[in-house]
C-alpha cells in the first residue's frame, strides 16, 4: 500500500559524516605539524566532503517531504475509494482521543 524507502540513504549519510569527521580530525592533527602541503590537502578534502554532505542532507529533506506528500495522496485516494472505512477510522480515533482526554481529568 505505502512505498517505503530503504535505509541505504541513511547509511550513506552516516558514512559521509564519518568521513567528514575523519578528514577534520586529520586536518586538526596536521595543523600542528610543519608540513604545509599536508594542511592544504587535508583542508581541501574536508571542504569537498563538507559540500557533498550538505548537498546530501538538503536532498534528504526534500525526499522526506516527497514521501510525506505521497503518503497523503495515498490516504486521500483510499478514503475516496472507501469512504465508510474512513468514517469508521475517524470515529475510532475520535473515541480513543475522547477517552484519553476524559481519563486525564
Amino acid at each position: 500500500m505505502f512505498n517505503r524507502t530503504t535505509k541505504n540513504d541513511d547509511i550513506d549519510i552516516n558514512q559521509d559524516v564519518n568521513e567528514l569527521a575523519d578528514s577534520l580530525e586529520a586536518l586538526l592533527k596536521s595543523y600542528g605539524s610543519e608540513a604545509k602541503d599536508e594542511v592544504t590537502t587535508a583542508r581541501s578534502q574536508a571542504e569537498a566532503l563538507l559540500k557533498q554532505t550538505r548537498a546530501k542532507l538538503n536532498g534528504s529533506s526534500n525526499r522526506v517531504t516527497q514521501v510525506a506528500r505521497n503518503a497523503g495522496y495515498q490516504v486521500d485516494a483510499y478514503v475516496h475509494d472507501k469512504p465508510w472505512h474512513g468514517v469508521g477510522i475517524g470515529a475510532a480515533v475520535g473515541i480513543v482521543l475522547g477517552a484519553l482526554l476524559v481519563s486525564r481529568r
Side-chain angles (χ1 to χ4, degrees):
M1 180 177 194
F2 294 107
N3 297 332
R4 295 191 183 232
T5 59
T6 61
K7 295 283 183 177
N8 291 339
D9 294 333
D10 295 336
I11 294 169
D12 291 341
I13 291 173
N14 289 336
Q15 288 173 350
D16 290 340
V17 170
N18 287 333
E19 288 177 15
L20 179 61
D22 292 341
S23 294
L24 291 175
E25 184 178 352
L27 175 65
L28 291 174
K29 285 181 181 178
S30 65
Y31 189 65
S33 69
E34 299 287 328
K36 185 90 170 164
D37 293 334
E38 290 179 19
V39 172
T40 56
T41 302
R43 182 176 181 177
S44 64
Q45 288 176 348
E47 287 176 350
L49 282 171
L50 183 61
K51 286 180 184 178
Q52 289 175 357
T53 304
R54 282 186 178 163
K56 285 186 178 182
L57 288 175
N58 288 337
S60 68
S61 67
N62 291 335
R63 281 194 306 266
V64 169
T65 303
Q66 187 62 37
V67 167
R69 189 173 294 135
N70 288 342
Y73 290 143
Q74 289 177 352
V75 168
D76 185 52
Y78 179 79
V79 170
H80 277 92
D81 290 341
K82 301 177 181 179
W84 287 108
H85 290 223
V87 170
I89 291 170
V93 169
I95 290 170
V96 169
L97 286 176
L100 289 174
L101 290 174
V102 168
S103 68
R104 291 189 116 193
R105 292 183 185 181

